[in-house]
Amino acid sequence: MKYYDVNSLYPHKMCELMPYKLIKHHKDLTNYNLEDFFGFCLAEIYCPKDIKIPLLPLKYKGKTIFPTGSWIGVYFSEELKAVTKYGYKINLINGYEFSKIDLFD
């Protein structure tokens, strides 16, 4: 059995770059590369059906679920970048691009 203390995850993540000032509202991100985007976006998500533990949450009928298959949702770009290595496919639709700042350095 293993025990993990997850209380320190929030301060740890706060040491990474955070969104700061709004740069632009993009009405169409379909031809935009996810790696070049930093902000919040509406995206079409595809999660492989054979994944053992789905990673991205979705609010559905008042409950939080972790689906497989396809859906559309709003997510932070860095969260989407992190799940692509597990087989998720991301198609950006539109979103808000922000500048980056290291608030707690």
Side-chain angles (χ1 to χ4, degrees):
M1 175 186 268
K2 293 184 180 181
Y3 173 78
Y4 294 97
D5 179 13
V6 295
N7 290 329
S8 63
L9 288 178
Y10 288 110
H12 172 72
K13 284 298 178 186
M14 290 172 69
C15 291
E16 295 183 10
L17 295 174
M18 305 290 279
Y20 183 56
K21 290 188 178 182
L22 178 64
I23 295 174
K24 183 178 180 183
H25 172 241
H26 295 273
K27 293 183 181 180
D28 183 14
L29 287 173
T30 54
N31 294 322
Y32 217 82
N33 186 356
L34 176 61
E35 292 301 318
D36 299 329
F37 185 78
F38 186 82
F40 297 91
C41 56
L42 179 69
E44 181 180 7
I45 313 294
Y46 170 75
C47 173
K49 294 195 185 265
D50 62 345
I51 193 168
K52 290 184 180 182
I53 301 173
L55 301 170
L56 286 180
L58 175 69
K59 198 74 154 176
Y60 180 74
K61 293 186 179 181
K63 296 185 179 189
T64 302
I65 62 171
F66 291 82
T68 59
S70 297
W71 71 93
I72 293 176
V74 176
Y75 296 94
F76 184 48
S77 60
E78 305 311 288
E79 187 176 23
L80 295 176
K81 291 173 189 174
V83 298
T84 57
K85 61 184 165 194
Y86 298 103
Y88 280 75
K89 304 290 184 226
I90 313 296
N91 294 318
L92 301 178
I93 299 171
N94 63 45
Y96 293 90
E97 186 174 10
F98 285 83
S99 64
K100 304 173 187 178
I101 189 170
D102 191 356
L103 287 173
F104 302 101
D105 185 24

